[in-house]
Amino acid sequence: MNTCCYSYRFYVEKCKALKMALKYIDIGANLTDSMFSGVYSGSKKHPDDLDLVLKRAWQQGLQKIIITVGTLSEADKALKIANKDERLYVTMGCHPTRCGEFLTDPEKYYEALKGKISSNPKKIVAIGECGLDYDRLHFCDKETQKMYFEKQLHLAKEFQLPMFLHCRNSHEDFMDILERNRSLLESCTGGVVHSFDGSLSEAEKILNYHPQFYLGINGCSLKTADNLTVVSQLPNDRLVVETDCPWCGIRPTHAGFQFVETKFPPVKKKEKWLAEALIEGRSEPCQISQVLEIIAGVKKESINKLADVIYDNTIRLFFNKEMK
């Protein structure tokens, strides 16, 4: 028997016995990414395995997964995936690096976003992913990003949905836009700055902006010793967790890895794909447990209590209407 298959099956059984009391919601999963169709850099390496990826997620204790949409071209695929399972939901917006797509016909693009949201009220739970990304200006310049980030804030007010926000190396301009539009967002249902990896001061400014603003923590939030110091000081009642898969996986070289208890034996080469195993370098929703383990480790707190708090935070932010 293949050692990897055996060890993964053994791990799954161990999880059922020890970990299934924990409940998770992954607030950010890029399930439309071609990697989940077995395509990497335009080359097919293995069969489409999204169903297997989701099966592992549900086995690990995922209760819901929110599929991130960053462009209109992803919207229909994301909704098609979400409509296959009542536990899957979708965000709707334009990522800062894709805001150039507005330029051909800004109003048409904006109205198309509105149409998707109004037509899918049971599946779309947030506006975004939108915001600013100054690390990748080769995809879209600052002024275009700022213009269409601000434009999308109007969707939050119109549809009374939370914001799914992106802020990379752009905190000052990001907060300036939020402050300038405070009247739009005061009555909205909050938001999350996902994949947060900023300073404690930046975190405090975000959390002080709105009582229902949260910080999304994933592998990119837990890379360095400085990251861990910041996360250790963040209030539990303002945290949510995500994988941002297939990106932002937690690697052995990351500072947070020392706290990881749940290990998933991977296949090291995509071409050696196995239905029972993860692929090294491709993050999956089931690895959400590792994110929570690191947060609990750096905070020196009970993982069970922390899981409950973060789960409740996520329900309050994204699914409050559903629960009423």
Side-chain angles (χ1 to χ4, degrees):
M1 178 183 290
N2 185 290
T3 303
C4 184
C5 292
Y6 175 77
S7 54
Y8 183 78
R9 289 177 187 141
F10 176 80
Y11 164 71
V12 169
E13 293 305 316
K14 183 179 178 182
C15 281
K16 288 178 180 177
L18 299 178
K19 289 280 197 174
M20 287 302 100
L22 299 186
K23 296 189 297 183
Y24 309 92
I25 298 174
D26 189 346
I27 68 149
N30 300 288
L31 298 186
T32 62
D33 193 278
S34 63
M35 290 190 204
F36 296 117
S37 297
V39 177
Y40 301 75
S41 302
S43 177
K44 186 80 169 180
K45 301 295 185 181
H46 61 75
D48 183 323
D49 63 348
L50 182 57
D51 288 345
L52 293 169
V53 168
L54 290 172
K55 181 179 179 180
R56 281 192 284 270
W58 310 136
Q59 288 175 332
Q60 186 61 18
L62 269 293
Q63 305 296 303
K64 302 176 189 289
I65 298 172
I66 302 175
I67 303 169
T68 308
V69 168
T71 170
L72 269 174
S73 62
E74 297 171 352
D76 288 340
K77 183 176 180 181
L79 286 164
K80 183 178 180 180
I81 293 169
N83 282 323
K84 292 179 180 179
D85 195 306
E86 63 182 7
R87 297 167 289 187
L88 296 174
Y89 298 85
V90 174
T91 72
M92 189 60 60
C94 187
H95 190 282
T97 62
R98 306 297 293 273
C99 279
E101 295 180 5
F102 270 96
L103 296 176
T104 302
D105 191 334
E107 284 308 310
K108 181 179 180 181
Y109 196 93
Y110 184 75
E111 289 300 319
L113 287 175
K114 284 178 59 176
K116 296 294 183 188
I117 297 165
S118 60
S119 299
N120 298 277
K122 293 183 179 180
K123 282 297 181 181
I124 296 174
V125 295
I127 305 301
E129 176 176 3
C130 58
L132 302 176
D133 189 323
Y134 290 176
D135 279 346
R136 292 179 279 180
L137 293 174
H138 53 289
F139 289 121
C140 186
D141 65 90
K142 286 185 182 181
E143 292 308 311
T144 301
Q145 287 190 33
K146 289 193 286 186
M147 182 181 299
Y148 294 108
F149 172 32
E150 197 158 4
K151 179 77 170 175
Q152 291 178 84
L153 298 181
H154 292 263
L155 294 171
K157 181 174 183 179
E158 179 169 351
F159 291 99
Q160 287 296 291
L161 288 171
M163 301 293 301
F164 190 91
L165 297 165
H166 180 103
C167 179
R168 185 69 67 233
N169 193 24
S170 55
H171 177 78
E172 187 173 337
D173 285 351
F174 179 84
M175 291 306 302
D176 180 60
I177 288 171
L178 291 183
E179 290 293 349
R180 192 161 65 244
N181 291 277
R182 186 174 282 277
S183 62
L184 280 177
L185 297 180
E186 278 180 344
S187 62
C188 87
T189 57
V192 57
V193 176
H194 101 106
S195 195
F196 180 78
D197 66 351
S199 68
L200 183 61
S201 173
E202 290 171 347
E204 289 170 345
K205 288 176 182 177
I206 291 166
L207 297 179
N208 288 336
Y209 174 78
H210 192 292
Q212 288 298 313
F213 263 37
Y214 295 79
L215 299 172
I217 305 300
N218 61 31
C220 289
S221 314
L222 304 164
K223 283 184 176 180
T224 69
D226 286 345
N227 291 153
L228 300 188
T229 299
V230 171
V231 169
S232 72
Q233 298 175 76
L234 299 177
N236 295 348
D237 63 354
R238 306 294 289 278
L239 299 180
V240 291
V241 291
E242 55 179 302
T243 58
D244 203 27
C245 65
W247 317 107
C248 292
I250 297 165
R251 301 180 181 179
T253 55
H254 292 176
F257 189 79
Q258 63 184 299
F259 298 104
V260 171
E261 296 178 6
T262 305
K263 306 289 175 60
F264 298 84
V267 170
K268 294 186 179 296
K269 292 186 177 181
K270 307 168 189 71
E271 296 83 357
K272 300 291 185 181
W273 176 89
L274 292 168
E276 299 88 351
L278 278 66
I279 295 171
E280 189 170 278
R282 184 186 74 170
S283 173
E284 292 190 16
C286 65
Q287 291 171 288
I288 197 81
S289 54
Q290 296 178 333
V291 177
L292 189 65
E293 286 164 0
I294 296 174
I295 299 172
V298 298
K299 286 176 167 287
K300 299 179 181 178
E301 295 183 12
S302 161
I303 192 169
N304 295 77
K305 290 181 180 179
L306 189 61
D308 287 344
V309 171
I310 290 176
Y311 183 85
D312 289 344
N313 293 345
T314 312
I315 293 293
R316 187 163 53 249
L317 177 60
F318 292 108
F319 303 104
N320 200 31
K321 291 180 182 178
E322 181 183 302
M323 296 298 113
K324 290 180 179 178

